[in-house]
Amino acid sequence: MDFQPTEDQRDLRAGVRDLLEGRYGREALRASVDSGTAVDRGLWRELGAAGFFALRLPESEGGVGLGLPEAVLVFEEAGRALVPGPLVATHLAAGVVPGAAAGTAVVTAFDLGGDLVAYLGEADAVLGEDGLPDGEPVRAADPLTPLHRVRRRGVAAAPGGGSAYGSAYVSEGALLTAALQVGSALRTVELAVRYAGEREQFGQPIGTFQAVKHLCAQMLVRAEVARTAVYAAAVTGEPGEVAAAKLLADEAAVLGARDCLQVYGGMGFTWEADVHLHLKRAWVRAEQWRTAAEAEELLAAELLHSAA
């Protein structure tokens, strides 16, 4: 069996990376932070035109007709670039909420549990809700993930029947969020390795020191293990594998960003560095769609069932 991405999948990933590097590179990211622009409507429409949100819609419905394996590759690149906005919710809303597939509508969701909604002020709809609820702004750790506390209203039906927050929907949301985390984790590995090769202490690059080498190696191992788990879960679609992938990806993104900060030293804690943005986004994503506690409970239930 060949578990390597196909040529078409590699081309898809390269195309999305080129698009994001040209449209949402570091300067655009920093401009968003400085201006507080959490959702760039122009970029959202460009992503829609590129098929980002309609990737898994059938061609007969105007989509691209691909599957979860391709979707995780695309979301991995978005995570690498730290593209803000409710990417997962809008992708899940394609074919359900008018304009979501084309990127002309921004759709968010109750993906943080409880009564919190991210990007409510920038959204045109909330997935699974009848209408756009009012909300009270809540202070957020990530400057590009604004939060609101709202009171939930009626729940709309999802494709195929059932609640829009049925297990299949949550599982897909968790997997795509895990892919975003993997992209961020891999990016912090790149940042750490590059900085370790440039920063000098005692007349030599800090990357020659064993402690720094070990940090970078641990970051890479966590990121690659998480990426493997995400790819596998995208192929099987099994809830238990998705839960494991989310656990591993959250750990890789959060610990990877923390280790990257360690490699950067004091520079990593300054506003000029991008490392803190990866850490703050990773914290938020770790609470989205499926938390570590929820994933652990699901895995435990599956193990208990299989042992019975």
Side-chain angles (χ1 to χ4, degrees):
M1 299 178 69
D2 186 1
F3 290 99
Q4 295 300 317
T6 66
E7 183 177 352
D8 287 342
Q9 289 171 335
R10 289 194 294 269
D11 289 343
L12 173 64
R13 178 163 54 190
V16 173
R17 179 173 296 194
D18 289 343
L19 169 64
L20 293 177
E21 284 180 348
R23 184 60 178 79
Y24 201 76
R26 185 180 187 277
E27 290 185 3
L29 170 63
R30 300 306 305 205
S32 295
V33 173
D34 292 339
S35 65
T37 304
V39 176
D40 181 337
R41 289 276 180 164
L43 173 61
W44 214 254
R45 288 190 293 271
E46 288 182 45
L47 290 174
F52 189 99
F53 303 117
L55 191 73
R56 295 190 297 136
L57 277 183
E59 293 183 40
S60 59
E61 298 178 23
V64 183
L66 298 177
L68 270 175
E70 288 77 22
V72 299
L73 295 177
V74 167
F75 273 77
E76 181 185 320
E77 291 303 317
R80 181 180 183 275
L82 273 185
V83 177
L87 296 165
V88 173
T90 303
H91 179 90
L92 293 176
V96 180
V97 177
T104 55
V106 176
V107 183
T108 187
F110 279 94
D111 56 6
L112 283 159
D115 55 359
L116 288 178
V117 178
Y119 305 106
L120 181 64
E122 291 77 18
D124 301 302
V126 177
L127 187 62
E129 290 288 310
D130 297 322
L132 198 63
D134 295 326
E136 178 185 353
V138 177
R139 188 173 182 180
D142 177 17
L144 293 180
T145 307
L147 301 176
H148 283 77
R149 179 168 284 113
V150 306
R151 179 174 297 177
R152 297 190 66 169
R153 299 189 296 192
V155 179
S163 165
Y165 288 87
S167 59
Y169 244 24
V170 172
S171 187
E172 290 179 1
L175 181 60
L176 296 175
T177 303
L180 291 170
Q181 293 281 60
V182 166
S184 179
L186 290 167
R187 179 56 178 159
T188 55
V189 173
E190 295 174 6
L191 292 173
V193 170
R194 185 177 66 189
Y195 188 79
E198 296 172 350
R199 180 76 167 93
E200 292 190 0
Q201 282 287 354
F202 309 110
Q204 56 186 317
I206 62 173
T208 61
F209 303 141
Q210 190 176 54
V212 176
K213 289 179 182 179
H214 285 178
L215 274 179
C216 293
Q218 290 167 358
M219 290 172 64
L220 179 62
V221 169
R222 283 194 298 260
E224 289 295 347
V225 169
R227 174 154 65 173
T228 300
V230 168
Y231 288 4
V235 172
T236 67
E238 301 241 345
E241 295 200 15
V242 171
K246 181 64 161 58
L247 273 172
L248 290 168
D250 287 342
E251 180 184 55
V254 172
L255 296 185
R258 289 174 61 183
D259 285 348
C260 188
L261 278 172
Q262 185 73 17
V263 172
Y264 267 65
M267 181 64 186
F269 290 90
T270 65
W271 192 253
E272 288 74 17
D274 296 338
V275 187
H276 70 97
L277 297 176
H278 281 276
L279 179 57
K280 293 170 181 175
R281 190 73 56 84
W283 281 337
V284 173
R285 288 179 182 148
E287 298 299 318
Q288 289 181 304
W289 293 104
R290 182 166 284 141
T291 64
E294 291 165 345
E296 288 166 353
E297 286 293 330
L298 192 154
L299 282 171
E302 287 215 348
L303 288 171
L304 183 62
H305 177 74
S306 63

